[in-house]
Amino acid sequence: MQARVRGQSRARLSRVDRKALTRERLIESGHAVFIRRGFHAATLEEIAMEAGVTKGAVYSNFEGKADLFIAVVEARTEQRMQGYRRAYREAKDIEALARQHARIMVKDDPNGRWSSVLTSAWAETADDPDLRKKLLDIQVRATSFIGQTIKETADRTGVEFPYPIERLNRMGGALMRGLLLQRLLDPKHLTDQEIEDAFVAFVRGMGRPARGGNTDGEQ
Amino acid sequence: MQARVRGQSRARLSRVDRKALTRERLIESGHAVFIRRGFHAATLEEIAMEAGVTKGAVYSNFEGKADLFIAVVEARTEQRMQGYRRAYREAKDIEALARQHARIMVKDDPNGRWSSVLTSAWAETADDPDLRKKLLDIQVRATSFIGQTIKETADRTGVEFPYPIERLNRMGGALMRGLLLQRLLDPKHLTDQEIEDAFVAFVRGMGRPARGGNTDGEQ
DNA sequence: TGTACATCAGTGAACGCGCGTTCACTGATGTAC
DNA sequence: TGTACATCAGTGAACGCGCGTTCACTGATGTAC
């Protein structure tokens, strides 16, 4: 590709590069609009406008709204994974690790809107097994990645986990989601501190064997 | 009101009684359809049909879809409160009480669909402060009722709570909701037992003072 | 007990609107020679 | 380097459909006398 006269405000790009750029922008604006409006109220119109294109461009890059959404979830998940990787350096015991983990999750979804978007999409999967499979795959990958990262950190710092880490991890994510969702209805009631505390309490409680309850017969 | 000739299949009722009956049926079928289809996909058409009336009857009894939904939430909440009242007899320590509480919550929403409906409605409250206020009121009343019931039971059985019970209670409800919502995406992964365990772990963990973390400066 | 009129819960059809999806078209990039 | 044609990402307008809401109407219940 030859050097162009000068850097124009709108650079000349190859067709594939421009398409990739448009796709990237749609994913970004999609992310923003889904969070701002919610899964249903987010319109392709607004997403496209915010990316500087028209609705048709969405269909040139994705199969439709659901497909764009999946790309958004994938991108967001990817990004978060990178954040987690950097976050577990200083944790010296299991509770500190848990607290750090909780803190990141809260920071990544401070008002519960992303959790709302995600679970709204989950509701949609009742009639759309393809969507379900894709969203579940992403969650499984993320859970396994986070589990591995935590395990590495735990090993390095000599922390021991009393419970299968992946399971703890998935439960923790689910539970945190519930706490964040509460903020949709009532943004002020649960503080960051309280949410962290609840999560840490859960991890701490899982570390002690259950007593009482009907834990005898069943596996 | 005079005695009629005989009990017909469709009894003759006074106007107010028939209207109350219709309203009751709409609330019941609304509850069923919201759970079956989800908050958005539930249509007034289906709700009305299932109640044996037409859509217009909804508008004769409610202001619209949101108003019907509020009535459904109120009825459901009322019903659950009565269930809780009966459920805490045999609990002899705090963990047994927690486990019993968790068990009821799981039984009341075994596949997470109600949690999904409710949180979808919460998302709607972003542009509808009136809806928010009403839903929040219901939650506050329910939380306070449950808190009181638990407190009575705890007093009677000599159990002590290490944490303000209403707060524990609201956190617990939120957290449980997250666990149940996981089943929308993946119905099989989290067993009833695991969800109970997670809830109990949380309560148990809240009972011990936090150590580590940044609990120093902040209140 | 009977008659005439008023009320109003529920009917059924039409309305309106938002929004995802489709499609013929355009103009810039890519390719062949 | 230049010309002629092919490709195709993105345009913009139209489509279609579902669904909440509205509204004129009906027929059973209620009321007055």
Side-chain angles (χ1 to χ4, degrees):
Chain A
M1 186 160 306
Q2 295 178 311
R4 295 291 173 183
V5 185
R6 82 190 84 204
Q8 303 272 3
S9 66
R10 170 178 264 230
R12 296 268 173 81
L13 295 172
S14 78
R15 209 133 72 177
V16 288
D17 287 348
R18 171 152 294 285
K19 183 167 191 187
L21 182 62
T22 301
R23 190 186 152 90
E24 218 47 51
R25 282 184 180 154
L26 283 168
I27 289 174
E28 267 177 49
S29 67
H31 185 227
V33 174
F34 276 123
I35 288 177
R36 186 184 314 139
R37 304 288 183 201
F39 183 75
H40 285 98
T43 67
L44 295 188
E45 176 75 23
E46 185 171 359
I47 292 170
M49 284 300 104
E50 197 154 317
V53 291
T54 62
K55 281 192 287 182
V58 174
Y59 287 86
S60 178
N61 282 279
F62 304 94
E63 285 169 30
K65 192 181 186 182
D67 189 45
L68 166 60
F69 178 70
I70 289 179
V72 167
V73 176
E74 249 162 3
R76 182 189 162 95
T77 304
E78 177 59 34
Q79 219 168 306
R80 291 182 73 211
M81 294 309 100
Q82 290 176 13
Y84 284 120
R85 207 193 264 288
R86 287 192 293 269
Y88 297 136
R89 303 301 171 200
E90 70 277 11
K92 286 307 175 206
D93 71 2
I94 186 175
E95 287 192 25
L97 190 60
R99 186 170 295 276
Q100 182 63 18
H101 193 193
R103 195 165 290 161
I104 295 180
M105 284 193 281
V106 173
K107 189 158 64 73
D108 281 349
D109 186 19
N111 45 33
R113 285 174 181 247
W114 176 257
S115 292
S116 169
V117 169
L118 194 65
T119 52
S120 291
W122 290 0
E124 218 78 344
T125 67
D127 331 306
D128 188 344
D130 186 55
L131 179 63
R132 161 175 282 156
K133 178 171 176 359
K134 283 172 181 160
L135 290 176
L136 185 54
D137 278 356
I138 296 174
Q139 192 188 60
V140 168
R141 268 188 281 129
T143 305
S144 125
F145 176 91
I146 296 177
Q148 203 174 332
T149 306
I150 292 181
K151 212 173 289 174
E152 284 169 14
T153 308
D155 287 350
R156 200 176 52 239
T157 55
V159 165
E160 277 189 36
F161 269 95
Y163 206 83
I165 209 166
E166 304 245 333
R167 211 179 277 186
L168 198 69
N169 188 12
R170 176 152 342 168
M171 284 167 146
L175 169 163
M176 178 62 67
R177 216 168 282 127
L179 292 164
L180 293 172
L181 284 168
Q182 177 63 32
R183 291 182 165 176
L184 290 178
L185 181 64
D186 185 4
K188 285 164 297 198
H189 198 88
L190 286 180
T191 64
D192 287 9
Q193 183 70 48
E194 284 176 312
I195 291 182
E196 285 173 26
D197 286 348
F199 184 82
V200 172
F202 156 72
V203 173
R204 191 193 296 142
M206 286 306 260
R208 288 170 47 195
R211 62 190 164 100
N214 65 349
T215 52
D216 339 341
E218 311 261 40
Q219 165 52 332
Chain B
M1 185 161 306
Q2 294 178 311
R4 296 289 173 184
V5 185
R6 82 189 85 205
Q8 304 272 3
S9 67
R10 170 178 262 231
R12 296 267 173 82
L13 296 172
S14 78
R15 207 130 74 176
V16 288
D17 287 348
R18 171 150 296 284
K19 183 168 190 186
L21 183 62
T22 300
R23 190 186 153 90
E24 217 48 52
R25 283 184 179 155
L26 283 168
I27 289 173
E28 268 176 49
S29 66
H31 186 227
V33 174
F34 276 122
I35 288 176
R36 185 184 314 140
R37 304 289 184 198
F39 183 75
H40 286 99
T43 67
L44 295 187
E45 176 75 24
E46 186 171 359
I47 292 170
M49 285 301 103
E50 196 155 318
V53 291
T54 60
K55 281 191 287 181
V58 174
Y59 287 86
S60 178
N61 283 279
F62 304 94
E63 286 169 30
K65 193 182 187 183
D67 190 45
L68 167 60
F69 178 71
I70 288 178
V72 167
V73 176
E74 248 161 4
R76 182 189 162 94
T77 304
E78 177 58 35
Q79 219 167 307
R80 292 182 72 211
M81 294 308 100
Q82 291 176 12
Y84 285 120
R85 207 192 264 289
R86 287 191 294 268
Y88 297 135
R89 304 300 172 201
E90 71 277 12
K92 286 306 175 208
D93 71 3
I94 186 175
E95 287 193 22
L97 189 59
R99 184 169 296 275
Q100 182 63 18
H101 192 193
R103 194 166 291 161
I104 295 179
M105 284 193 281
V106 173
K107 189 157 65 68
D108 281 349
D109 185 19
N111 44 33
R113 284 172 182 250
W114 175 257
S115 293
S116 168
V117 170
L118 194 64
T119 52
S120 292
W122 289 0
E124 217 79 342
T125 66
D127 331 305
D128 188 343
D130 187 55
L131 180 62
R132 161 175 282 156
K133 179 172 176 357
K134 282 172 179 160
L135 290 176
L136 185 54
D137 278 357
I138 296 175
Q139 192 187 61
V140 168
R141 268 189 280 128
T143 304
S144 124
F145 177 91
I146 296 177
Q148 203 174 332
T149 306
I150 292 181
K151 211 173 290 176
E152 284 169 13
T153 308
D155 286 351
R156 200 176 53 239
T157 56
V159 165
E160 278 190 35
F161 270 95
Y163 206 84
I165 209 166
E166 304 245 333
R167 212 179 276 186
L168 199 69
N169 189 11
R170 176 150 344 166
M171 284 168 147
L175 170 163
M176 178 63 66
R177 217 167 282 127
L179 291 164
L180 293 172
L181 284 169
Q182 177 63 32
R183 290 182 165 176
L184 291 177
L185 180 64
D186 184 4
K188 286 164 296 198
H189 199 89
L190 286 180
T191 65
D192 287 10
Q193 183 71 48
E194 284 175 312
I195 292 182
E196 285 174 26
D197 286 349
F199 184 82
V200 172
F202 155 73
V203 172
R204 192 193 296 141
M206 286 306 259
R208 287 170 48 195
R211 62 189 165 99
N214 65 349
T215 51
D216 340 340
E218 310 261 40
Q219 164 52 334

